[in-house]
Amino acid sequence: MSEQFSVDERSGLENQIDQWRAWVLRRRAITPDDAAELEDNLRGRVADLRAGGLDDDEAFLVAVKRMGNLDDVSREFAREHSDRLWKQLVLVPEAPAEADRRWRDLGVLIGLAVGAGIAVKSLLALGDDEAFGLNVAFAVLPFLAAYFAWSRRLPGRVATVLVGMTAAVAVAVNLYPFVVTDGSPGMTYVLTATHLPVLLWLLLGVAYTGGAWREHARRMDFVRFTGELVIYFALIALGGGLLIGLLFGVFGVVDIEIEPFVQGWLMPFAVPGAFLVAAWLVEAKKSVVENMAPVLTRVFTPLTLVLLVAAFVALLAGGPLTAVDRNLLILMDAILLLVLALLLYSISARDPLSPGRPFDWLQLALVAAAFAVDVVALTAMVARIADAGWTANKTAALGLNLVLLVHLLGTGWLLWQFLRRRGTFDAVERWQTRYLPVYAAWAAIVVLVFPPVFSFA
């Protein structure tokens, strides 16, 4: 562990202690109070060693080594405080101060969830499917952003900028005269509707971080939050689907038509409400659910690698690259995005100070396979564009694949350096969070630039 610290490029005793504290807090059995106690112990050791003539770096490394193996410390804490993890599963803790705060947070969020439901219901009442597709993200995500702005005490200047940017995007996309042919919107509308939630989600990340978007740790927290939110929302959706099925069954037995109520009232409030409640649960139980990440990534990484190999074979067996089916290329992009999401979630759950392990090699193989698929898909796209010309859809697909290619290339190189002990896993982590704004920039280009460039067709 001391070797990992020695290769960290950040200098300064406080920076090193901050990194050590963040690593300690990732142990699920250690609470912030425990970490503070351990930090006091560490600082005392450092002070004694500095008094003995060592410089800051030397004192820190020796003190950490003398602290012992923190995995053993974590297990000891878990044995002595085994009831902690079970108490974390309770929605409202026993401590009065903590319980009051949790109830207050939940009350604010439920109020915002009702507001999101009213906004979605209002959109549906307009009876305009195209307007709904463009504005449904505006009807839900600002309410979640408001919750984070309230809970994080977002600075007024940052909140004003976020509101202004969101309002500007909303006005622009709603004023765009998208072309409708035979009752169906054109490709620029589809691209705008699909990329807009990505742009708004990354803007939401600024609110989540409390405005500290430039801090690597806060951006990585947002990556973890996104992954855990997907898990919670999926679980809530499965349970809600079961309850709705039982509701249909019960009212069907007595010949009461319940479908208009479910479609017209229940779903517009239930779906955004479940989304916001899932976000609250992630915030309340983050130390419990993130323990699922290593299990999920270890199950799905090898399966996704097999899927990528199969996709690579399908691309090569599809005949000349100019003849590759358009739908197959779209599926390739979906698979690559799945790989990226899995990779980000796996990296966010890993201890950056742990040495390279066999699973890291498996991840490198996943990145290499994704890179190979992306190269073949890019070649096919360029061939199709050369053969049939540029369209909004082809340009968007080409740009997305180029963005993914650079991301995969950087990740693969840094992973390779780490596994060869010529780099740190911290560098792999930082590459992921530093690259996130590239996706926001590309989504903004597709949403705001593509429609006028391609004549809103």
Side-chain angles (χ1 to χ4, degrees):
M1 181 177 66
S2 60
E3 293 178 358
Q4 294 292 337
F5 275 112
S6 65
V7 297
D8 193 307
E9 296 179 354
R10 291 180 297 172
S11 61
L13 179 60
E14 290 303 320
N15 284 337
Q16 295 184 84
I17 291 179
D18 287 344
Q19 182 184 10
W20 176 86
R21 185 194 309 112
W23 179 65
V24 168
L25 286 171
R26 293 189 181 191
R27 271 58 184 171
R28 61 180 181 177
I30 296 181
T31 67
D33 289 340
D34 299 329
E37 182 180 347
L38 290 171
E39 182 181 340
D40 287 341
N41 191 336
L42 176 66
R43 288 183 181 276
R45 292 174 183 267
V46 170
D48 292 342
L49 291 167
R50 290 177 63 193
L54 297 182
D55 62 27
D56 286 352
D57 289 340
E58 292 171 339
F60 175 76
L61 295 176
V62 173
V64 167
K65 185 175 181 180
R66 291 181 179 177
M67 288 284 289
N69 188 332
L70 278 179
D71 287 328
D72 294 336
V73 175
S74 178
R75 284 192 289 270
E76 182 178 349
F77 270 112
R79 284 194 298 268
E80 293 183 2
H81 307 282
S82 58
D83 60 336
R84 282 182 181 171
L85 293 177
W86 293 106
K87 288 182 178 179
Q88 286 175 357
L89 296 175
V90 181
L91 287 180
V92 180
E94 296 178 358
E98 181 67 15
D100 290 343
R101 184 188 64 80
R102 190 73 56 81
W103 278 119
R104 184 175 64 253
D105 287 353
L106 181 58
V108 170
L109 186 125
I110 289 176
L112 291 170
V114 172
I118 293 173
V120 172
K121 176 63 178 174
S122 300
L123 278 177
L124 289 172
L126 296 176
D128 189 337
D129 292 340
E130 284 74 26
F132 181 83
L134 282 178
N135 291 286
V136 64
F138 291 113
V140 178
L141 294 184
F143 288 94
L144 182 56
Y147 173 71
F148 289 136
W150 175 79
S151 62
R152 304 284 198 275
R153 293 178 172 82
L154 190 68
R157 179 178 59 83
V158 177
T160 301
V161 171
L162 285 178
V163 171
M165 293 177 64
T166 304
V169 173
V171 171
V173 299
N174 280 281
L175 289 180
Y176 280 165
F178 292 105
V179 175
V180 178
T181 304
D182 297 328
S184 299
M187 184 51 64
T188 54
Y189 168 87
V190 175
L191 291 173
T192 299
T194 53
H195 286 75
L196 184 57
V198 177
L199 175 59
L200 295 181
W201 185 253
L202 292 174
L203 287 178
L204 174 74
V206 179
Y208 179 87
T209 61
W213 178 252
R214 294 184 178 182
E215 294 182 12
H216 157 70
R218 300 298 292 145
R219 292 198 300 265
M220 187 53 73
D221 286 342
F222 182 63
V223 171
R224 287 191 199 94
F225 167 78
T226 301
E228 294 166 15
L229 176 62
V230 172
I231 295 174
Y232 266 119
F233 183 70
L235 293 174
I236 293 175
L238 289 173
L242 176 61
L243 291 177
I244 290 175
L246 293 173
L247 184 67
F248 272 101
V250 169
F251 280 88
V253 171
V254 295
D255 294 326
I256 296 178
E257 184 63 37
I258 195 68
E259 184 174 354
F261 168 76
V262 172
Q263 291 185 350
W265 289 97
L266 181 59
M267 297 304 293
F269 284 88
V271 175
F275 185 75
L276 266 70
V277 169
W280 176 80
L281 287 172
V282 172
E283 286 292 281
K285 304 300 165 193
K286 61 177 65 176
S287 61
V288 177
V289 175
E290 69 182 16
N291 296 320
M292 296 171 62
V295 177
L296 293 175
T297 54
R298 277 163 176 74
V299 169
F300 285 101
T301 294
L303 296 177
T304 307
L305 179 58
V306 173
L307 177 62
L308 274 176
V309 173
F312 187 72
V313 172
L315 278 173
L316 295 181
L321 292 179
T322 54
V324 173
D325 187 83
R326 170 175 170 269
N327 292 327
L328 179 59
L329 292 176
I330 294 175
L331 287 174
M332 293 304 102
D333 283 348
I335 293 173
L336 290 174
L337 289 173
L338 172 64
V339 170
L340 174 65
L342 182 65
L343 183 68
L344 280 172
Y345 193 44
S346 176
I347 289 174
S348 72
R350 190 191 188 282
D351 181 358
L353 299 180
S354 296
R357 295 173 180 172
F359 183 74
D360 296 311
W361 286 99
L362 184 63
Q363 282 194 311
L364 180 60
L366 180 68
V367 172
F371 182 82
V373 169
D374 199 1
V375 169
V376 175
L378 270 172
T379 306
M381 290 174 187
V382 171
R384 287 171 60 87
I385 290 173
D387 184 60
W390 295 87
T391 64
N393 185 48
K394 291 176 183 176
T395 307
L398 181 66
L400 175 60
N401 278 267
L402 287 173
V403 171
L404 289 171
L405 187 74
V406 176
H407 193 168
L408 291 169
L409 182 62
T411 302
W413 172 251
L414 292 171
L415 266 175
W416 173 248
Q417 291 292 97
F418 166 68
L419 291 171
R420 295 180 66 196
R421 299 183 180 180
R422 296 183 179 179
T424 65
F425 197 83
D426 183 66
V428 181
E429 270 196 359
R430 289 179 179 276
W431 169 250
Q432 313 308 314
T433 59
R434 286 171 179 167
Y435 203 75
L436 288 178
V438 176
Y439 289 96
W442 177 247
I445 291 172
V446 174
V447 169
L448 299 173
V449 178
F450 271 45
V453 167
F454 290 96
S455 302
F456 306 99

